[in-house]
Amino acid sequence: MSASRVTPVVPGTRQELAAVEARITAARGRISPLYQVLLNSPAVVEGWEAMLTAIRQKTSLSPRLRELIILRVATLNNAPYEFDAHVPHALAGGMPQTMIDALRGHPAPNAVAELAPGEADVLALTDAMTRDIEVPDAVFAPLRARYDDAQLVELAATVGAYNMVSRFLVALRVGH
């Protein structure tokens, strides 16, 4: 990718952003290029940080399942910066490198090796929400049988949120 279409805010250069920068650093360990761009809008970065922190750190989904969704969305939306940023999280969540490598290559949901039970169904949901928006009953039914209402909300919210992230990154050319 070429340079970002929006000038990133250098952390520590705007006193009015000190509190939000501290929260981002506490939650993420650093202020990434994504957040440096988001800092241009204090209202957007505040809401973004709250929502994405909830999805990444406060839901009942396993880290592996969450990262499976994120990597799939990044692949489908051609967002390599997002994909690469989440590889360490996927590895830490127990996803084998061979599975990460396979996800990078756009396989059909049931063709990814090493999937745990139900993960192909989550990939099918991710594909439907990302590509077509509407989720057919045939895709949703196996999820309904496996997950409770809270988990279904968390699955859909994770897919939706990371579609937002990848589309933001690609539109504004954030990352590499």
Side-chain angles (χ1 to χ4, degrees), residues 29-43:
R30 69 186 182 107
I31 299 177
S32 69
L34 166 61
Y35 279 91
Q36 290 175 32
V37 169
L38 286 165
L39 286 169
N40 280 287
S41 174

Side-chain angles (χ1 to χ4, degrees), residues 33-131:
L34 166 61
Y35 279 91
Q36 290 175 32
V37 169
L38 286 165
L39 286 169
N40 280 287
S41 174
V44 172
V45 76
E46 292 261 354
W48 187 291
E49 176 59 17
M51 183 178 77
L52 272 292
T53 295
I55 287 172
R56 284 227 20 255
Q57 299 175 12
K58 299 179 181 179
T59 69
S60 66
L61 302 180
S62 72
R64 175 181 161 127
L65 192 58
R66 180 189 63 240
E67 297 303 324
L68 178 70
I69 292 167
I70 295 167
L71 294 180
R72 184 63 165 195
V73 167
T75 298
L76 294 173
N77 289 334
N78 196 26
Y81 176 79
E82 181 178 39
F83 192 101
D84 292 342
H86 280 271
V87 167
H89 301 294
L91 291 168
M95 191 180 297
Q97 183 66 53
T98 53
M99 191 171 163
I100 293 167
D101 294 342
L103 286 166
R104 198 181 292 269
H106 291 275
N110 58 2
V112 178
E114 304 179 68
L115 289 175
E119 288 181 341
D121 298 329
V122 170
L123 287 177
L125 171 73
T126 304
D127 286 13
M129 286 183 65
T130 303
R131 291 179 172 156

Side-chain angles (χ1 to χ4, degrees), residues 11-34:
T13 61
R14 293 176 49 191
Q15 183 57 37
E16 70 273 17
L17 297 173
V20 72
E21 287 178 8
R23 283 193 302 278
I24 294 166
T25 301
R28 307 207 179 288
R30 69 186 182 107
I31 299 177
S32 69
L34 166 61

Side-chain angles (χ1 to χ4, degrees), residues 2 26 28-30 42 45 58 82 88 92 100 102 112 130 139 149 152 154 159-160 163 168 171 176:
S2 59
R28 307 207 179 288
R30 69 186 182 107
V45 76
K58 299 179 181 179
E82 181 178 39
I100 293 167
V112 178
T130 303
V139 170
D149 288 339
L152 291 169
E154 292 170 355
V159 175
N163 266 287
F168 182 90
H176 55 273

